[in-house]
Amino acid sequence: MKPTNIKDPEYFHKVVDCQYACPAHTPVPEYIRLIAAERYTEAYMVNWESNVFPGILGRTCDRPCEPACRRGRIEEEPVAICRLKRVAADNKGEVRSLMPAVPKEKNGKKIALIGGGPASLTVARDLAPLGYEIHLYDDQKAGGGMMRSQIPAFRLPESVLAEEVDYVLDMGVHTHLNTFVSSMKDMLEKDYDAIFVGTGAPRGGDLPKLPGRWDTKENIHLGIEWLASVAFGHTTKIGKKVLVLGGGNTAMDCCRTARRLGGEQVTVVVRSPFRDMKASPWEIEDAQREDIPILNNMPPKKFVVENGKLKGIVFEKVAAIYDEKGKRTLIPTGEPDVFLEADDVLIAIGQDNAFPWIERDLGIKFGNWDLPVVDKITFQSTLDRVFFGGDAAFGPKNIITAVAHGHQAAISIDLFCRGESVYNRPAPMTNLVSQKMGIHEWAYDSPVVIDARYLVPHVDKQLALKDRTMEVELGFDQPTGFKEAQRCLNCDVQTVFNTSRCIECDACVDICPTSCITFTTNDEEAELRQHLSAPAHNTTQDLYVSEDLPTGRVMIKDEDVCLHCGLCAERCPTAAWDMQKYLYQVTKAAPIWNNSML
Amino acid sequence: MTYIKPRFRHPELPKNKIGYAKADYEGAISTLCAGCGHDSISGAIVQACYELSIEPHRLAKLSGIGCSSKTPTYFLSNSHGFNTVHGRMPSIATGAYLANRELIYLGVSGDGDSASIGMGQFVHAVRRNVNMVYIVMNNGCYGLTKGQHSATADLGAQSKTGSVNPFPSIDLVGLALELGATFVGRSFSGDKTQLVPLIKAAMSHPGFALLDVISPCVTFNNQSKSTKSYDYVRAHLEATATIDFVPHKEEIRVDYHPGHSASVELHDGSVIQLHKLAPHWDPTDRNSAVTRLQESKIKGEILTGLLYIDPESQGLHDLEQTVPQALNTLQEEDLNPGAKLLDEINESFR
């Protein structure tokens, strides 16, 4: 293998699994350390710089970071990264003064944002400090998009949402609320220098061909529309027997909301096996905790409507068969069909993009599934001054992905407005600093605690079910937040190896608790992976290879289960190993908050 | 601040035949200087015991005084241990071995502990062929008292403070050969590929097995004019042969090249395989070992590897023709056969 090029900014970035997995590349260990140090305000700002909505995401994020967390490869559970983010948001002090100033003198460029969700708000946040005049259009009465209409208040309190939406809107954004944009042509005729489309995936999936679907209009609802209607106070009750069709997070939100609106027997029915459900495991647990059974392997066969009144649904029983490639087919088992009674049915089987308002003769090309053709790096459409982001760009994902899109689209819009190539992307900001303070002292808490993951306390179930706006999760208190924060392995504190200093004494090999380090003759990667101190089967994790040492061997470190405990560096007599904190920050269109000042 | 080794281990750490991972043979975190050769030797002992599938309760580690003799704390924390007075480990080991022949005895000593204060003890353990592994962690200086020359420091070697050693060194390997040792090897802490099989072979040898392991003192004896520094030792290493240890009943996979390889079978059926043999050297011939050692010394080489082994070796118990079971398990009726038998014996002398 060739020596590892640690100057490549992505090498050490990849070692910080959580940050690498985060679409917005939030510097997770950095803010977790700040939480442990009770510097909640700074922890919040590190988040705000990266993901714009720490309080919202600390409650609702899909958490791609947690399955990636190195701790999950060493013991049972990853660090509760998402809930620590909330600790920062809940305990922060005054933050407005730390946010970038918006120049009174504008730069003369006008930007329109269509849709008031996370993608558009991120674009606004990143461009406002540069003096752009920003106009945000949304058909809802307040900003926030799907975060407002689709996420129930018992998961995300209105006050938290409003606070973080307002941080952005208060940067001088001109809002055009209660305004449905019905024609892109009209928008293009206005004097905007660039238009960003962040309209999400607003069309709920339906079962239009299922027999009986159109026999009644009253009691069959589309999940996301129904959730929005509840959120805006138009719907306040539901029947006692409710069936929810679908296995995603929207289905979980629907069933739990139904429980709060009078649903006594709420049942989720999934066509596929339980293990194939798309909902996050913790959302499934929360639903089950509220006495909501989830039935699987039951696709709906027909709605039963008598005299114009919904009676229930007949379901077929199936089993999932997987072929060699893992492709699934649902085969009827031949068991008798099942009839389940229902006063109301909520259909939550996915959602799609919808652009009926974009005329097809404007130069904006559309491709498969009626999605616009959008550049994956620049988020530019085929019409150069129109940009897309969030669910509107590549279909439904999640909030944090929308935020990541927003940052990149903002960079493109800024480059475009300045007449530069949108492919002229800025490099990430990186910083690598030694943490050495003494023989056994580091500027981070190097000992590895063995605590298991702490559970977030919940409000009493009886109380929660009475009030749809009562937040169920109470969040970690400060002492528990500290203990959970200490579970973080500080993967951003990198083991940096200096070949010229190494005397090959083996001290690091002997001390390494997880047998990560090997000194051996060089070979091909596949061969080396078999013959290290411990087998290196996880090929998603790199091998860190040194240059040739005096004995002709090389140092090879398997990054996979390194605890970042610093013992290799402590036991190294020549400081060939050093623990160096690596900060990687995605460059934004405007400077927001300088983490390296911490 | 880390004085504690984290408890997490590699989740895919392989297990040996008796179900233990290498981590089960570890000890407390070392308090020796960072980079000390002794820690590497501890690591090699852990590796050898793991590979030999030794049950930790079947091993006793003994040591004297010094940096070297602190190391038993840093390996095999589930085994028996005895930290003796300075230089007196061989007596304790002899006594323990006589009382209970069923344990594996691992003595750890240093150049001061063995070649100075304990010399009188060391030589008798060798000539009695006490069944033990005797590892000397040899750094040529007194590390605990800031690096004065020890008795194994080479003539002309310079200490960190600049004093030149005016005395010839004691070569424990040559001495042991002279005293009739039945297993003699030398190695280097920085070469685990050689050291681990040597320790395994030594542990399987029935009799006294000396391993003189050069172990650089990074703090006081790793400077440019030292002859026991990492750089000097690496530059002057000369191995008798590369060594493989094949435990009993395992398939021998390495090709055998006549003239370049040799294999020595031990009493328990395990085999020591030697490859790329040094010329004019036979591992079972004491004379050739002595000659080879002298030749290397004249050339300024540090000869390492297995130097001599007596495959017919018999341990002290066999030499003394004691009973096969451990003496500490003998009951009163075994030790006191009664007046009638005594009378019969006395009668036989009349």
Side-chain angles (χ1 to χ4, degrees), chain A residues 462-473:
Chain A
Q462 299 314 320
L463 291 175
L465 290 179
K466 277 185 195 139
D467 179 358
R468 82 167 173 87
T469 62
M470 179 179 284
E471 191 173 17
V472 172
E473 284 198 11

Side-chain angles (χ1 to χ4, degrees), chain A residues 276-478:
Chain A
D276 289 356
M277 280 176 69
K278 288 209 175 86
S280 310
W282 53 92
E283 308 247 349
I284 297 173
E285 277 169 32
D286 286 346
Q288 289 172 327
R289 201 176 290 132
E290 293 175 359
D291 311 318
I292 300 166
I294 299 173
L295 309 178
N296 67 1
N297 287 327
M298 285 167 62
K301 210 169 178 181
K302 64 176 183 197
F303 288 94
V304 178
V305 180
E306 284 174 14
N307 305 323
K309 185 152 174 44
L310 178 72
K311 290 288 169 191
I313 301 178
V314 174
F315 293 93
E316 195 176 13
K317 295 273 248 180
V318 296
I321 310 287
Y322 300 85
D323 70 9
E324 285 163 4
K325 287 173 189 162
K327 194 172 174 260
R328 187 188 75 195
T329 352
L330 298 174
I331 311 269
T333 59
E335 290 168 88
D337 290 345
V338 179
F339 171 71
L340 295 175
E341 284 183 58
D343 299 323
D344 281 282
V345 170
L346 299 170
I347 304 175
I349 55 167
Q351 56 194 88
D352 296 312
N353 296 62
F355 300 102
W357 56 280
I358 299 182
E359 295 82 353
R360 300 303 148 112
D361 57 355
L362 302 171
I364 302 172
K365 261 194 218 160
F366 281 76
N368 293 340
W369 302 293
D370 211 28
L371 281 171
V373 175
V374 177
D375 187 291
K376 286 207 156 59
I377 293 163
T378 65
F379 295 87
Q380 193 174 38
S381 73
T382 51
L383 183 61
D384 63 2
R385 62 192 173 108
V386 176
F387 299 81
F388 285 76
D391 289 358
F394 306 114
K397 293 265 166 39
N398 50 37
I399 302 173
I400 189 67
T401 304
V403 169
H405 290 179
H407 290 313
Q408 294 308 315
I411 288 169
S412 300
I413 292 169
D414 182 43
L415 289 167
F416 176 76
C417 289
R418 288 193 281 120
E420 288 186 34
S421 163
V422 288
Y423 291 99
N424 193 12
R425 315 301 292 179
M429 197 290 288
T430 61
N431 197 15
L432 190 62
V433 184
S434 176
Q435 300 295 291
K436 198 172 180 71
M437 293 176 79
I439 293 174
H440 293 279
E441 276 182 291
W442 303 99
Y444 73 108
D445 283 343
S446 59
V448 178
V449 300
I450 56 165
D451 300 12
R453 181 177 169 124
Y454 289 89
L455 294 176
V456 180
H458 284 207
V459 78
D460 178 76
K461 187 166 78 180
Q462 299 314 320
L463 291 175
L465 290 179
K466 277 185 195 139
D467 179 358
R468 82 167 173 87
T469 62
M470 179 179 284
E471 191 173 17
V472 172
E473 284 198 11
L474 298 172
F476 288 132
D477 57 15
Q478 291 189 8

Side-chain angles (χ1 to χ4, degrees), chain B residues 134-181:
Chain B
Y134 193 105
I135 293 178
V136 179
M137 299 184 173
N138 185 354
N139 59 15
C141 74
Y142 296 129
L144 277 184
T145 55
K146 303 202 173 178
Q148 299 83 353
H149 295 297
S150 77
T152 63
D154 290 305
L155 179 67
Q158 207 179 84
S159 75
K160 195 175 185 179
T161 54
S163 69
V164 177
N165 180 28
F167 309 115
S169 68
I170 292 174
D171 183 355
L172 292 170
V173 162
L175 186 67
L177 283 170
E178 178 62 30
L179 290 165

Side-chain angles (χ1 to χ4, degrees), chain A residues 95 180 246 539:
Chain A
V95 289
F180 180 76
T539 50

Side-chain angles (χ1 to χ4, degrees), chain A residues 71 73-74 440 446-450 503-506 510-511 513-514 534-535 537 551 561 563 567 570-571 573, chain B residues 1-14 29-30 32-35 39-40 43 192 218 222 230 234:
Chain A
R71 183 126 192 154
R73 299 199 291 275
I74 288 153
H440 293 279
S446 59
V448 178
V449 300
I450 56 165
I503 57 168
E504 301 178 63
C505 68
D506 268 5
D510 296 330
I511 197 69
T514 44
H537 295 143
T551 58
V561 291
L563 301 171
L567 283 178
E570 279 184 31
R571 298 303 298 167
Chain B
M1 195 166 315
T2 323
Y3 292 109
I4 309 156
K5 193 164 173 174
R7 276 205 236 161
F8 294 119
R9 295 292 177 267
H10 196 292
E12 290 178 62
L13 216 53
I29 198 165
S30 172
L32 297 171
C33 305
D39 285 333
S40 295
K192 281 210 187 76
V218 278
N222 199 33
Y230 279 104
R234 283 216 173 90

Side-chain angles (χ1 to χ4, degrees), chain B residues 6 12 28 49 126 210 214 229 244 266 278 311 315 334:
Chain B
E12 290 178 62
C49 291
V126 176
L210 171 71
I214 298 171
S229 66
D244 278 327
L266 301 183
D334 302 322

